[in-house]
Amino acid sequence: MIAATLVKLSVASLWANKLRSSLTLLGVIIGVTSVMTIISALEGMMEGIKAQIDRMGPATFVVAKFGIITSEEAYFEALKRKSIGLDAVKYIEDGCDLCENVCPRAFGRANIKYGSQTLRRVRVGASTSSYIDIVDIEVGQGRYHSQEDDTYRRQVAFIGHTLREELFPGLDPLGRDIRIDGARYRVIGVAKELGSTFGNNRDNFVIVPFSTFIKQFGEPGDNMNITIKAASVAQLPEAMDQVRLVLRSKRHVPYDKPDDFSLVTAENVLDMVNSVTAIFRTGLVGISSISLVVGGIVVMNIMMVSVTERTREIGIRKSVGAKRKHILLQFLYEAMLVTMSGGLVGIVLGYIIAKVLVGMIDMEISPSTVAIIAGLSISTGTGLVFGIYPAMKAAKLDPIKALSYE
């Protein structure tokens, strides 16, 4: 009952001093908005990245020359490695009985032309026919290239949704010829739309048979990796061990030396992304917290002014029976109410800003429970920490001196 009365008194006091309360809110709003924006944006990006990584498949891993590079030293060390060649595909197929599907993949950039329309530096991928069974690409129209296409080095192309939209507006692309860096290819299929990630258009690609790619562009060298699907998720570690043993043996890696290649799984990529975003989250939230400290100092200063202005009021309340704890709680409630209100406004603003920012890189976010709890906790905690001193000062006032204060 007393608590409810104190809250009503606090609300009435804040409402009676709207300008002062608004100024107090400002610092907290800025701080909470910053924290909310950062946490929501990072959460949204993480969800998007996880969705992309999940599409790789839990039983799939990649053999690559570079893999996940986390330092300059590791990069220069990886540069010394031999490229992953086509011979590695044969070694893995022969030596890994737990590998269900082994697909070489080459990649590059080329200009794509149809009629008078030219698209520059489009991603050109190359793989064998079973590649589409591993990755998340789905056929939207026509077909993916077959084993025969690869065997006979047919100049056929499977294109992404963007190429269809930009090269063939209003036309059926199937059976039409495009030019990839001048070479003629027949369009045999179109992929379903994949969307974008971090502003990167995932539909702007063309895939050709692996052998045809080599015929036109030569050996891919460093621009090649091998995508492998294990027989099952449970057998993924064993399959990776088999691949590691085969490649170490065939590439003559001494027993006391590390692998001269990388095995990358979806879990590896996710771990790396998690560690990077954790560093960003800690750093950015720490920086934005400075504004909360400034906001807290503003709260304390304005509460001190409030205590001074209401000295006689405090004296009157004490003279009619109010105890120290009642005065203490009233001023604390005022400080916490004003910062909590700032926190709520900051949460809404932070969410709106995060949605705009994440929308610019084609990611979706939903209100993050972590961010909302963090915003409310931080704002309320700011009121508690920075409001305690003015509240204690008010509670300790001598009623006689307070009543005689002018």
Side-chain angles (χ1 to χ4, degrees):
M1 190 66 184
I2 292 176
T5 304
L6 288 174
V7 170
K8 285 180 183 175
L9 285 172
S10 301
V11 172
S13 173
L14 292 173
W15 187 252
N17 298 280
K18 298 183 188 68
L19 179 59
R20 188 169 62 198
S21 302
S22 301
L23 290 174
T24 311
L25 279 172
L26 195 58
V28 179
I29 289 173
I30 293 171
V32 173
T33 300
S34 305
V35 172
M36 182 72 185
T37 301
I38 291 166
I39 294 178
S40 295
L42 285 174
E43 293 285 327
M45 284 189 287
M46 277 302 298
E47 289 302 315
I49 291 169
K50 283 177 183 176
Q52 299 296 334
I53 293 172
D54 287 344
R55 289 177 180 175
M56 181 176 169
T60 302
F61 63 102
V62 175
V63 178
K65 174 179 176 178
F66 291 97
I68 298 174
I69 302 292
T70 55
S71 67
E72 188 179 18
E73 183 183 1
Y75 173 73
F76 285 115
E77 192 62 34
L79 273 179
K80 300 174 186 173
R81 297 172 175 175
K82 290 187 295 184
S83 299
I84 304 297
L86 268 178
D87 53 349
V89 178
K90 179 66 175 170
Y91 298 149
I92 294 169
E93 286 176 337
D94 291 342
C96 178
D97 57 2
L98 295 176
C99 296
E100 181 181 288
N101 205 335
V102 182
C103 287
R105 179 173 173 269
F107 44 90
R109 297 272 177 182
N111 296 332
I112 312 295
K113 183 176 182 182
Y114 176 73
S116 60
Q117 181 73 13
T118 300
L119 301 179
R120 302 193 180 281
R121 293 192 54 75
V122 174
R123 289 199 311 275
V124 178
S127 69
T128 52
S129 57
S130 58
Y131 182 67
I132 198 164
D133 298 328
I134 301 178
V135 295
D136 63 324
I137 298 173
E138 294 181 53
V139 178
Q141 185 182 4
R143 66 178 179 85
Y144 192 69
H145 64 258
S146 64
Q147 189 173 350
E148 287 74 23
D149 292 328
D150 199 45
T151 302
Y152 295 107
R153 298 183 180 182
R154 289 173 180 156
Q155 306 219 158
V156 293
F158 181 78
I159 64 174
H161 186 75
T162 296
L163 266 68
R164 174 188 173 163
E165 295 294 310
E166 297 193 11
L167 291 179
F168 307 101
L171 298 175
D172 183 354
L174 298 185
R176 298 180 187 273
D177 290 343
I178 58 175
R179 290 190 177 275
I180 302 178
D181 272 359
R184 186 190 299 271
Y185 284 79
R186 178 145 298 175
V187 177
I188 59 170
V190 182
K192 285 186 179 177
E193 189 171 2
L194 294 169
S196 300
T197 303
F198 292 108
N200 179 38
N201 183 357
R202 299 180 63 223
D203 296 296
N204 190 28
F205 69 86
V206 56
I207 300 177
V208 302
F210 195 84
S211 59
T212 313
F213 180 92
I214 293 177
K215 182 177 72 174
Q216 180 177 358
F217 298 100
E219 293 292 335
D222 289 350
N223 293 332
M224 175 179 164
N225 56 42
I226 303 172
T227 304
I228 301 169
K229 184 178 181 181
S232 68
V233 176
Q235 292 172 312
L236 176 67
E238 285 184 74
M240 292 177 69
D241 285 343
Q242 286 186 349
V243 170
R244 180 175 285 111
L245 285 174
V246 167
L247 291 182
R248 285 183 65 89
S249 171
K250 297 297 183 182
R251 291 162 72 94
H252 307 293
V253 180
Y255 74 93
D256 58 344
K257 297 290 183 184
D259 297 340
D260 67 344
F261 52 87
S262 293
L263 301 181
V264 182
T265 64
E267 191 176 350
N268 295 149
V269 178
L270 194 57
D271 287 345
M272 187 270 292
V273 172
N274 277 331
S275 56
V276 171
T277 52
I279 295 170
F280 272 107
R281 185 184 288 117
T282 304
L284 292 174
V285 170
I287 292 170
S288 64
S289 297
I290 294 172
S291 56
L292 272 171
V293 173
V294 174
I297 293 170
V298 172
V299 170
M300 187 166 67
N301 284 337
I302 291 182
M303 290 302 295
M304 290 291 289
V305 172
S306 177
V307 170
T308 304
E309 287 179 351
R310 293 158 63 189
T311 299
R312 281 183 61 80
E313 175 194 326
I314 295 168
I316 293 169
R317 291 195 59 207
K318 282 196 167 184
S319 65
V320 296
K323 297 179 180 176
R324 277 190 173 188
K325 67 177 181 181
H326 297 146
I327 305 297
L328 178 77
L329 287 175
Q330 182 185 344
F331 280 90
L332 262 187
Y333 285 165
E334 285 183 22
M336 290 169 66
L337 275 173
V338 76
T339 53
M340 192 185 295
S341 302
L344 287 171
V345 176
I347 286 170
V348 174
L349 287 177
Y351 175 69
I352 292 171
I353 294 172
K355 199 165 181 62
V356 171
L357 290 176
V358 176
M360 291 169 67
I361 52 176
D362 296 315
M363 291 277 186
E364 288 294 329
I365 67 167
S366 55
S368 164
T369 306
V370 174
I372 292 172
I373 292 173
L376 281 177
S377 302
I378 290 171
S379 59
T380 308
T382 301
L384 181 64
V385 170
F386 289 93
I388 189 73
Y389 178 70
M392 287 178 66
K393 186 177 179 183
K396 289 179 180 175
L397 281 176
D398 181 83
I400 304 300
K401 290 181 179 178
L403 281 170
S404 60
Y405 182 80
E406 294 294 339

